[in-house]
Amino acid sequence: MTSLTSESALPVTSVRAALRSPRLLKTEVLSGLVVALALIPEAISFSIIAGVDPRVGLFASVTMAISIAFLGGRPAMISAATGAVALVIAPVMRDHGFDYLIATVLLAGVLQVVLGLLGVARLMRFIPRSVMVGFVNSLAILIFLAQLPHLVGVPWLVYPLVAIGVAVMVFLPRLTTAVPAPLVAILLVTAIVMLAHSGVPTVGDEGDLPDSLPSLFWPNVPFSLETLRIIAPYALGMALVGLLESLMTAKLVDDVTDTPSAKTREAWGQGVSNVITGLFGGMGGCAMIGQTMINVKGGGARTRLSTFLAGAFLLVLLVGLGDLVGLIPMAALVAVMVMVSVGTFDWHSIRPRTLRRMPRSETTVMVATVIVVVATHNLAIGVVVGVLVAMVLFARRVAHFTQVVEVPTPEPDTKVYAVTGALFFASSNDLVHQFDYRGDPGTVIIDLTDSHVWDASTVATLDAITTKYARYGKTVRIVGLNAASAERHSRLAGTLGAGH
């Protein structure tokens, strides 16, 4: 569902435009409310993973959502406490305590600001589409797997309640989109449980909800190199994981909404939000793809207003309506997240026709990303592995495009070789074996008009070829270099030494 103005066919991302349109405003408000409800069990679960009180994760979600609404570069994207961040910082809490954990969050935020200003967001261009597809599919699987504990060892009534919630979200949009189907599903399932007085698990069973506003907090840790030694590795890990997940999610939302985002602003905005969250005693976080998909796909939100309202509603629900929120059955939220999982998965990527047309290397990268993410429950590790696999397969494929062919020449006692293709470490290593050093005439011309010298390995290979011919008293001329290749060759030739 794409929010459009009546005057333009362009998607609306302006808060001002949303405030002027009752229809768009209703979409933003209701979507923010649904996201706020969906954030509660997730934040509690991630708090448990990190080993902190549920209030720490819940307040982190409040401060992250509200602050990123102003600071972030991707409108309508939701940031809050996440499992990826919880996994990284859990050892700090376990081994050193809460104060060191908050110090880690603060340092991670500072590192994210620095990395953002240094342009780390530009590295997103090096993430192939197949890795993005694997990222999306693995995240959908993780979202679904996270719901399974709520479906095991529970009263039988949970299963029909989940089915009712799913049915509402499948069929209601076919009748009307006046209200978000996830919100209707949550309200309907909650009403059924309250009227039936059934003893199914509720949000309140997940952990204690806060009854007061968050307050400023400064960690009581020594300001020393020893403290830095303890927290720096975890802070760097949190900073990188948070940035990677946030930038990947931003790119996904760009595609879903057909609108651009400011990736550099998003990067340093995540850092400032984590600093703010740490100062209020929160566990930090990053973008949440599940709740973001609820917002932009399920609710149709497109502006920062929905992100701000998600945090504001969450705060009101926790502090003012905590008792009522605690009555919401987990079955309702499980149904919402199951549909998020189904909607997030790229089903086109696994269709037989797609797999037959797709190069095997692309499918391999996608599958590798999915397997690593699901096995480690760490999106960052999966993406890094996927990129590395893509790089290796790309280098292997491009290396085979290089060819050396003889070219007829009228010049006496001369032989011309034409080299085509990209010359880099993977392709140039075999280049040295493509010439007849003993049998060639006294002058050998190597024409690189249809090739490009990319690295020092290739220059070293050309030096080796020249040296081999010189052993037989023969002369080599290298011609046809383009400007960039000629500059690299003239700068490095004869300076790399044997074996380099």
Side-chain angles (χ1 to χ4, degrees):
M1 174 181 176
T2 303
S3 301
L4 301 174
T5 61
S6 57
E7 297 84 4
S8 171
L10 294 176
V12 170
T13 58
S14 166
V15 173
R16 182 176 298 178
L19 291 174
R20 289 175 176 174
S21 168
R23 179 176 62 85
L24 297 178
L25 180 60
K26 183 189 70 174
T27 297
E28 299 293 313
V29 171
L30 294 179
S31 187
L33 178 58
V34 173
V35 171
L37 292 170
L39 279 172
I40 295 173
E42 296 283 296
I44 294 174
S45 299
F46 299 148
S47 298
I48 295 172
I49 292 174
V52 298
D53 188 280
R55 296 176 180 84
V56 176
L58 290 166
F59 281 149
S61 296
V62 170
T63 52
M64 284 292 296
I66 291 177
S67 59
I68 204 65
F70 296 96
L71 300 168
R74 174 62 261 177
M77 191 166 77
I78 305 297
S79 291
T82 61
V85 168
L87 287 169
V88 173
I89 63 176
V92 182
M93 181 65 190
R94 182 186 65 241
D95 299 335
H96 303 284
F98 183 70
D99 289 278
Y100 278 88
L101 180 139
I102 298 302
T104 301
V105 173
L106 293 172
L107 180 57
V110 172
L111 290 174
Q112 287 179 326
V113 171
V114 173
L115 290 171
L117 295 176
L118 289 176
V120 69
R122 289 193 291 269
L123 296 177
M124 285 297 296
R125 72 183 68 180
F126 297 108
I127 298 181
R129 179 188 178 278
S130 52
V131 175
M132 276 295 299
V133 173
F135 169 81
V136 170
N137 289 348
S138 58
L139 203 45
I141 294 171
L142 288 183
I143 292 172
F144 180 80
L145 292 177
Q147 311 315 309
L148 296 184
H150 302 297
L151 298 173
V152 177
V154 294
W156 67 269
L157 186 59
V158 169
Y159 304 110
L161 289 173
V162 171
I164 291 172
V166 169
V168 168
M169 285 179 282
V170 170
F171 295 108
L172 181 62
R174 301 180 183 181
L175 302 176
T176 178
T177 56
V179 291
L183 180 59
V184 175
I186 291 172
L187 295 176
L188 178 60
V189 173
T190 302
I192 292 173
V193 170
M194 294 181 69
L195 291 174
H197 300 286
S198 59
V200 298
T202 63
V203 170
D205 297 328
E206 294 294 302
D208 295 332
L209 300 178
D211 54 7
S212 62
L213 294 172
S215 57
L216 289 173
F217 178 88
W218 185 256
N220 183 22
V221 297
F223 193 74
S224 64
L225 289 177
E226 177 61 19
T227 299
L228 184 63
R229 184 191 65 80
I230 292 172
I231 68 174
Y234 300 103
L236 180 60
M238 175 182 166
L240 295 176
V241 168
L243 284 179
L244 183 57
E245 190 161 343
S246 298
L247 294 174
M248 292 283 283
T249 304
K251 189 174 187 302
L252 177 62
V253 178
D254 291 350
D255 296 337
V256 171
T257 62
D258 289 327
T259 57
S261 61
K263 301 297 191 302
T264 296
R265 176 177 174 178
E266 183 63 38
W268 64 254
Q270 287 287 331
V272 177
S273 293
N274 271 309
V275 171
I276 294 172
T277 298
L279 291 175
F280 280 95
M283 59 181 276
C286 62
M288 298 188 74
I289 190 169
Q291 276 66 22
T292 298
M293 289 299 102
I294 292 175
N295 199 39
V296 299
K297 293 188 75 173
R302 292 293 182 268
T303 77
R304 300 175 184 275
L305 185 60
S306 59
T307 306
F308 171 79
L309 290 175
F313 280 142
L314 179 58
L315 183 61
V316 172
L317 290 171
L318 295 176
V319 177
L321 303 172
D323 292 339
L324 291 178
V325 172
L327 298 177
I328 297 175
M330 287 301 300
L333 299 177
V334 167
V336 171
M337 298 310 294
V338 166
M339 290 304 297
V340 169
S341 173
V342 173
T344 301
F345 197 91
D346 185 352
W347 298 101
H348 175 76
S349 66
I350 61 171
R351 290 176 181 170
R353 187 169 64 176
T354 303
L355 294 175
R356 285 195 298 269
R357 292 181 176 180
M358 192 68 64
R360 289 184 180 179
S361 59
E362 300 284 329
T363 302
T364 300
V365 171
M366 187 265 286
V367 172
T369 304
V370 171
I371 290 175
V372 174
V373 170
V374 173
T376 63
H377 284 232
N378 190 312
L379 293 164
I381 294 176
V383 170
V384 170
V385 170
V387 171
L388 291 175
V389 172
M391 290 171 59
V392 171
L393 293 179
F394 174 77
R396 181 174 178 271
R397 187 168 64 251
V398 173
H400 294 302
F401 290 159
T402 303
Q403 291 184 331
V404 179
V405 295
E406 294 184 22
V407 178
T409 176
E411 298 183 36
D413 195 35
T414 301
K415 191 170 187 179
V416 178
Y417 289 97
V419 181
T420 60
L423 298 177
F424 64 110
F425 62 90
S427 59
S428 61
N429 284 337
D430 291 334
L431 190 64
V432 72
H433 304 297
Q434 305 297 313
F435 301 90
D436 185 3
Y437 301 100
R438 187 186 300 272
D440 282 344
T443 301
V444 175
I445 299 175
I446 300 178
D447 186 356
L448 300 180
T449 301
D450 296 321
S451 61
H452 186 94
V453 176
W454 285 104
D455 58 6
S457 295
T458 301
V459 177
T461 298
L462 293 175
D463 284 352
I465 293 170
T466 302
T467 300
K468 281 179 174 290
Y469 274 113
R471 290 174 185 169
Y472 293 97
K474 300 172 183 179
T475 303
V476 175
R477 290 181 10 226
I478 297 175
V479 301
L481 289 167
N482 58 38
S485 298
E487 189 278 331
R488 183 172 289 109
H489 183 263
S490 63
R491 176 160 44 90
L492 298 176
T495 67
L496 298 174
H500 294 284

